[in-house]
Amino acid sequence: QEQLVESGGGLVQPGGSLRLSCAAPGFTSELYAIGWFRQAPGKEREGVSSISLRDNSTYYRDSVKGRFTISRDNRNNTVHLQMNNLKPEDTAVYYCATDPCGIHAMGLIGTTCVDHWGEGTLVTVSS
């Protein structure tokens, strides 16, 4: 079943934390990277972080390095994004996605290679 299901969004104060999860039971091929994109109102969708199913290597956009951590739960075929020290500029709809072009594709070519999307989960950072 090729479906991505996100969970974990919500409202949090600046400096707070959230953990997003992406259930991806139909995606086990090592050809894939699974990652998170986000889209704020009036802005283009941008890549946030991704992880390789082949070797667990990771990619992060500069603005989230040191604050976000992506990980895999192989037993449950789930990818998590732990987001700490959240800032108002992190407010967006976060989308899980599969990318057969590798972990760096989102930073180089954006959404071009993505072949499956989740429906998205809203993260709001506000006091």
Side-chain angles (χ1 to χ4, degrees):
Q1 181 180 3
E2 295 184 339
Q3 187 176 6
L4 303 172
V5 180
E6 304 104 331
S7 61
L11 173 64
V12 64
Q13 292 185 342
S17 297
L18 283 175
R19 188 192 196 207
L20 304 183
S21 296
C22 174
F27 298 96
T28 57
S29 170
E30 292 187 348
L31 295 176
Y32 274 108
I34 295 182
W36 293 91
F37 288 77
R38 67 186 180 187
Q39 188 165 19
K43 295 188 176 181
E44 292 187 354
R45 194 168 296 191
E46 63 184 20
V48 177
S49 180
S50 62
I51 187 166
S52 168
L53 300 192
R54 179 174 60 85
D55 61 8
N56 288 330
S57 55
T58 58
Y59 162 86
Y60 297 94
R61 71 179 298 110
D62 285 347
S63 62
V64 307
K65 286 180 180 177
R67 300 188 297 123
F68 291 11
T69 303
I70 193 168
S71 62
R72 287 174 62 194
D73 177 347
N74 292 338
R75 184 168 56 183
N76 295 312
N77 293 316
T78 302
V79 172
H80 302 288
L81 185 68
Q82 178 66 40
M83 306 186 296
N84 298 329
N85 191 22
L86 282 159
K87 303 176 181 181
E89 52 264 42
D90 295 317
T91 295
V93 177
Y94 283 70
Y95 297 90
C96 182
T98 57
D99 193 329
C101 293
I103 61 168
H104 296 289
M106 63 168 52
L108 297 172
I109 57 175
T111 63
T112 302
C113 207
V114 171
D115 59 0
H116 293 86
W117 291 98
E119 293 189 353
T121 184
L122 177 63
V123 172
T124 303
V125 185
S126 175
S127 55

